[in-house]
Amino acid sequence: MGLFGKIFGGKSAADHAARGDELLDQDDPGGAKLAYEKALDKADTDAERETYRAKIDEARDGIALRRLDEAERLLEQGDLDLAREELAGALEVAVGDEAREEIQDRIDSLERDDAIAAATTSEEIGDEDKWAVIVGRWEDAQAEELDQYGDALRDALLLLHDGKAEEAAELLEALLDEADAPRFLWGEVARARLATGDDAGGREALEELVDSIAVEEIGEVWLGAQITLASLADEADDFEEAMERYQKAVEVFDDDHRSFFAMGRFLRTKDLPEEAIEVLEAASGLLDDIRPDWQVLEELGLAYADAEREDEAIATLERVIAFFTDRKLVDFPIRTARTLAELHEEQGKLERAADLYASLARGSDRQNHAEYHREAGRLLGEVGLTDEARRMLKRAIALADEGSEDREEAEALLADLDD
């Protein structure tokens, strides 16, 4: 069996259902839904199928509640458009009457004028609110251990939250010296060490963390630690260890797209596009309309481009653009839009390429606006839209620094149009 063969091996309906139960217990209803759907596909009897359909409905309600939580977070940040998208999606996903009633009640409270007004204020967040965010991310086993460290841990993590890593590290190291059989505390120590530039110490702490967590406690913290360890190995040019870490993450979290995404992104950066495609296609297969992740699609599209599979690259990257336009967002990811523009130009679709550059010229990557205007102007000129081309090129000249390559090229292009 090859490097990736065991990742994609077959499982029984009972295996998938058991994995779904584990994911529900870990508060991952999206992963649980996918696992139950796999169980349903392999079910042999009507009774089994009825059981798995009920489990899928339970997971859907869990997904809906997670989307409501995400909507509340977005409202707190002032991202009202995305919050409304999450709210609409939550109602669409929910199945049970009780869940839908609860969701509607929460939607009503979130949409009150005072909630929206509070979401758009820029008042400084107090320590109590910061602490609520920190502990809100803890898993059950993590909270059970970390709660025992009391105010000392609270003080350390608030300092770390505020960017005071050196002070936080001192407090956390003192706690570690006194701790009896620490597990999740190693994760906080690792964060502080890494934040202070102590990569070796951070790696040591993460290794202690993954080695000390019991099988039944494996969850988000363990996954994050494995991926961070893989990144540290990559920085040390240790390809074999990095792959070993990613492999462990994929094997344990075989229903979670994030483990596949991390491995696929790593492989693409190592100029292994076909291997990256295999893993990223698996990541994409774990997504659905309920759990979209445009970053997976972007990385897959870039891998297709690296492998010179242009048609697949274009189709995949256009899905990323559609993800944003469907949500009325026009500040497209830079790598997606640039790569897509280059691919369209190679295939002779110059107007589409020009449109993508024009979108980038309106986006948040302001330092490259002169280049984007120039490229849009160049392509518009090539298709005969000279008035639009002139406007773009004049804007490029105005934005570019005196004597820069962008300005000189834009001036030359404009001169050619006027000849």
Side-chain angles (χ1 to χ4, degrees):
M1 184 175 293
L3 178 62
F4 304 109
K6 59 183 176 180
I7 297 175
F8 306 109
K11 292 183 179 180
S12 68
D15 289 336
H16 287 303
R19 179 57 177 160
D21 292 341
E22 291 176 6
L23 291 168
L24 272 187
D25 290 341
Q26 295 170 10
D27 195 26
D28 183 4
K33 174 181 172 292
L34 291 171
Y36 291 136
E37 286 173 344
K38 292 177 183 178
L40 180 61
D41 289 340
K42 294 193 173 185
D44 295 323
T45 67
D46 289 341
E48 285 181 330
R49 283 187 278 272
E50 183 177 349
T51 297
Y52 297 146
R53 288 191 186 100
K55 286 286 190 179
I56 290 170
D57 287 348
E58 180 182 354
R60 284 173 64 94
D61 286 344
I63 293 168
L65 293 175
R66 289 284 292 272
R67 294 194 71 166
L68 277 169
D69 290 340
E70 176 65 7
E72 290 175 333
R73 185 186 70 80
L74 291 166
L75 280 168
E76 289 174 1
Q77 293 183 350
D79 295 331
L80 302 186
D81 289 339
L82 286 177
R84 291 189 180 99
E85 183 76 21
E86 290 296 323
L87 291 171
L91 265 185
E92 183 179 347
V93 171
V95 177
D97 291 340
E98 183 177 344
R100 289 183 64 84
E101 183 177 350
E102 180 182 353
I103 290 165
Q104 189 60 59
D105 288 343
R106 291 178 69 185
I107 289 174
D108 291 342
S109 68
L110 287 173
E111 289 292 351
R112 289 198 307 261
D113 290 343
D114 59 338
I116 294 176
T120 58
T121 61
S122 58
E123 294 179 3
E124 185 176 351
I125 299 174
D127 284 350
E128 291 301 322
D129 291 331
K130 293 175 188 176
W131 184 242
V133 171
I134 292 170
V135 300
R137 296 173 180 150
W138 288 354
E139 301 167 11
D140 290 343
Q142 183 182 13
E144 184 177 351
E145 177 193 341
L146 296 184
D147 280 343
Q148 68 182 299
Y149 301 119
D151 289 342
L153 180 73
R154 183 180 186 274
D155 293 342
L157 297 189
L158 286 173
L159 286 168
L160 191 58
H161 182 280
D162 291 339
K164 300 175 182 177
E166 295 285 354
E167 298 172 55
E170 290 182 13
L171 294 177
L172 288 166
E173 297 289 354
L175 278 174
L176 185 63
D177 289 340
E178 299 296 326
D180 180 23
R183 302 183 321 282
F184 291 96
L185 180 59
W186 281 113
E188 305 307 323
V189 170
R191 287 200 304 125
R193 289 178 179 177
L194 292 172
T196 61
D198 181 9
D199 287 354
R203 175 173 176 161
E204 178 186 358
L206 289 171
E207 288 172 344
E208 292 282 358
L209 171 67
V210 298
D211 290 342
S212 62
I213 291 179
V215 172
E216 64 272 14
E217 295 176 333
I218 288 177
E220 301 280 336
V221 174
W222 184 93
L223 175 60
Q226 289 287 9
I227 291 174
T228 302
L229 282 167
S231 297
L232 291 170
D234 181 25
E235 291 175 9
D237 294 325
D238 191 338
F239 177 86
E240 295 298 328
E241 183 182 348
M243 275 302 299
E244 181 181 349
R245 294 290 182 183
Y246 285 123
Q247 184 80 19
K248 286 180 180 178
V250 164
E251 288 172 358
V252 174
F253 284 81
D254 61 349
D255 287 316
D256 192 318
H257 75 277
R258 292 170 301 173
S259 55
F260 289 90
F261 171 65
M263 178 189 276
R265 180 173 53 187
F266 168 73
L267 289 167
R268 194 184 72 78
T269 64
K270 298 305 171 187
D271 297 324
L272 296 168
E274 292 294 350
E275 291 83 352
I277 287 168
E278 182 178 0
V279 178
L280 290 166
E281 284 180 340
S284 179
L286 293 171
L287 300 173
D288 53 30
D289 292 337
I290 296 171
R291 285 200 316 171
D293 189 332
W294 65 266
Q295 294 179 87
V296 172
L297 295 176
E298 178 181 63
E299 203 65 37
L300 178 57
L302 295 174
Y304 282 136
D306 291 344
E308 298 183 354
R309 293 164 61 171
E310 290 84 359
D311 290 343
E312 290 162 295
I314 288 172
T316 305
L317 294 174
E318 286 287 7
R319 288 177 62 192
V320 178
I321 299 297
F323 176 93
F324 281 79
T325 55
D326 288 348
R327 290 158 176 78
K328 298 180 173 58
L329 302 171
V330 294
D331 192 2
F332 301 141
I334 297 167
R335 293 191 305 165
T336 288
R338 290 190 73 142
T339 304
L340 194 52
E342 292 166 1
L343 291 168
H344 278 306
E345 182 176 1
E346 289 175 7
Q347 295 201 351
K349 300 174 183 176
L350 303 188
E351 289 192 46
R352 177 57 178 153
D355 180 58
L356 288 162
Y357 281 121
S359 296
L360 287 169
R362 297 188 295 269
S364 57
D365 185 21
R366 295 184 180 279
Q367 66 179 1
N368 290 310
H369 274 192
E371 176 192 348
Y372 300 144
H373 279 89
R374 186 199 70 220
E375 288 298 286
R378 175 180 62 82
L379 292 165
L380 290 168
E382 290 185 24
V383 298
L385 298 173
T386 54
D387 289 342
E388 292 87 342
R390 284 192 184 92
R391 283 196 291 271
M392 281 290 179
L393 292 170
K394 288 178 180 178
R395 182 61 176 157
I397 293 168
L399 290 168
D401 293 333
E402 186 73 35
S404 67
E405 183 177 339
D406 281 328
R407 183 162 187 161
E408 290 176 357
E409 290 185 11
E411 288 174 340
L413 289 166
L414 184 58
D416 288 342
L417 282 179
D418 292 335
D419 285 345

